[in-house]
């Protein structure tokens, strides 16, 4: 009997996983074109969870920590029960990485499965956006369109583990300047890619370098997103030669335009300053 009591005490000390579910509010979005789907999933997460989105239902499997809370999730339509075009998952606000475990397919009844491990104390706010195209024109296609119609030769090198297929891209047409210890370089259009794990690549088209010599086609920076508050993104970045480290701040909009970029970086000796604005 004593061993049964000890076993029961041990089992009671192990946190039990739990499941909860809720139905997403369906709210029309007149600004979207017919057939365009958009879900904003907003959650408060304590520790480790697995999230499944299927149709208009969200199932939360709590692996550890307190039960996850819905913070006002809404969709303009349920997630379709068939193949769609241009399906993407975009992190909007998070304090830890969001991992895609499973994309919607016929094998799993078209459910999206994500995993979050939040090691910080207390609840963290998570907001990710799921979008797709289910218009008649897209359904008529036999195969999905390529992610980018242009050749990928202009893609900059990426940090280890960066996944282009999961990346959300932002672009900006504008002008800026890079100052390294007082020596300037003109910056042109900018391209930003952020994958679902929060890894980020930022590249600028360049003009002429020092002394009027031709500069490389682009300069680029890699790193990881530290925070995102609305349209403002802050990232810990490093230069392409891995020498200068600093914080980059970007302003973007809902149409995936880049509005401004600033950055200060140093290695303790040399100092880099970047300013860029959309034209």
């Amino acid at each position: 009997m004593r061993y049964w009591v000890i076993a029961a005490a041990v089992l009671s000390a192990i946190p039990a996983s739990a499941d909860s579910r809720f139905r997403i509010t369906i709210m029309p979005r007149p600004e979207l074109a017919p057939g365009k789907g958009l879900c904003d999933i907003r959650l408060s997460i304590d520790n480790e969870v697995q999230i499944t989105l299927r149709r208009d239902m969200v199932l939360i499997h709590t692996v550890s920590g307190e039960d996850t809370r819905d913070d006002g999730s809404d969709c303009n339509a349920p997630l379709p029960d068939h193949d769609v075009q241009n399906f993407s998952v975009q992190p909007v606000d998070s304090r830890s990485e969001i991992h895609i475990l499973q994309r919607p397919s016929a094998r799993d009844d078209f459910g999206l499965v994500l995993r979050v491990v939040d090691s910080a104390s207390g609840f963290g706010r998570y907001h990710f956006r799921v979008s797709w195209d289910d218009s008649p024109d897209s359904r008529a296609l036999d195969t999905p369109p390529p992610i980018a119609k242009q050749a990928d030769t202009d893609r900059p090198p990426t940090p280890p583990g960066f996944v282009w297929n999961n990346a959300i891209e932002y672009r900006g047409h504008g002008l800026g300047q890079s100052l390294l210890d007082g020596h300037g370089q003109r910056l042109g259009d900018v391209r930003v890619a952020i994958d679902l794990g929060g890894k980020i690549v930022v590249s600028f088209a360049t003009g002429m370098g020092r002394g009027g010599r031709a500069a490389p086609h682009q300069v680029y920076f890699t790193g990881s997103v530290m925070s995102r508050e609305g349209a403002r993104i802050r990232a810990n970045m490093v230069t392409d030669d891995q020498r200068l480290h600093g914080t980059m701040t970007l302003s973007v909009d809902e149409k995936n335009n880049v509005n401004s970029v600033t950055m200060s970086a140093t290695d303790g000796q040399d100092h880099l300053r970047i300013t860029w604005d959309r034209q």
Side-chain angles (χ1 to χ4, degrees):
M1 183 65 182
R2 184 163 64 97
Y3 292 111
W4 279 107
V5 171
I6 294 173
V10 171
L11 290 174
S12 65
I14 300 175
S17 61
D19 291 342
S20 61
R21 66 179 64 210
F22 64 88
R23 191 176 298 277
I24 302 173
T25 301
I26 302 298
M27 297 181 60
R29 300 200 183 192
E31 71 276 12
L32 295 178
K36 299 289 185 179
L38 189 66
C39 281
D40 282 302
I41 309 300
R42 304 175 181 89
L43 304 171
S44 289
I45 297 174
D46 178 33
N47 198 320
E48 181 177 354
V49 298
Q50 182 171 299
I51 306 160
T52 301
L53 170 61
R54 183 174 286 109
R55 316 295 189 269
D56 61 348
M57 294 294 299
V58 174
L59 171 66
I60 308 292
H61 175 64
T62 301
V63 179
S64 62
E66 299 292 328
D67 288 345
T68 297
R69 300 193 298 256
D70 176 31
D71 280 348
S73 303
D74 66 85
C75 300
N76 75 319
L79 190 65
D81 59 356
H82 50 265
D83 290 324
V84 294
Q85 300 295 319
N86 303 322
F87 181 87
S88 71
V89 181
Q90 175 186 0
V92 178
D93 188 13
S94 67
R95 68 179 186 182
S96 185
E97 293 185 4
I98 302 174
H99 302 274
I100 296 181
L101 300 183
Q102 178 178 284
R103 288 178 171 269
S105 70
R107 294 191 307 271
D108 49 60
D109 195 23
F110 296 96
L112 169 67
V113 182
L114 308 172
R115 177 175 177 263
V116 174
V117 179
D118 188 327
S119 58
S121 60
F123 282 92
R125 180 184 177 186
Y126 286 80
H127 175 192
F128 60 91
R129 181 166 293 158
V130 183
S131 60
W132 64 89
D133 185 359
D134 196 28
S135 61
D137 290 341
S138 71
R139 291 196 298 270
L141 297 174
D142 293 330
T143 58
I147 294 174
K149 293 183 180 180
Q150 62 182 22
D152 291 338
T153 55
D154 64 336
R155 283 184 175 177
T158 55
F162 189 94
V163 182
W164 277 105
N165 288 344
N166 290 340
I168 300 300
E169 291 199 48
Y170 303 85
R171 294 176 183 262
H173 175 68
L175 294 173
Q177 187 179 42
S178 169
L179 282 175
L180 177 61
D181 295 333
H183 297 281
Q185 182 179 47
R186 185 177 179 180
L187 302 177
D189 293 351
V190 64
R191 178 180 181 179
V192 178
I194 305 174
D195 75 2
L196 197 61
K199 295 181 177 63
I200 179 173
V201 181
V202 179
S203 60
F204 296 92
T206 61
M208 303 301 290
R210 301 179 187 178
R213 295 192 300 269
H217 174 69
Q218 62 180 350
V219 293
Y220 66 91
F221 304 83
T222 61
S224 58
V225 174
M226 297 187 295
S227 65
R228 176 161 187 170
E229 300 175 0
R232 187 169 177 263
I233 301 171
R234 296 180 69 248
N236 183 22
M237 304 294 281
V238 63
T239 53
D240 54 3
D241 59 4
Q242 304 293 305
R243 189 167 61 88
L244 305 177
H245 296 258
T247 299
M248 178 178 288
T249 302
L250 307 98
S251 173
V252 299
D253 63 25
E254 294 183 352
K255 295 183 178 180
N256 289 21
N257 294 312
V258 182
N259 295 320
S260 66
V261 182
T262 61
M263 179 180 177
S264 294
T266 183
D267 61 355
Q269 180 176 356
D270 295 322
H271 296 272
L272 173 70
R273 173 70 178 169
I274 288 177
T275 55
W276 184 95
D277 289 293
R278 181 182 174 189
Q279 300 293 309

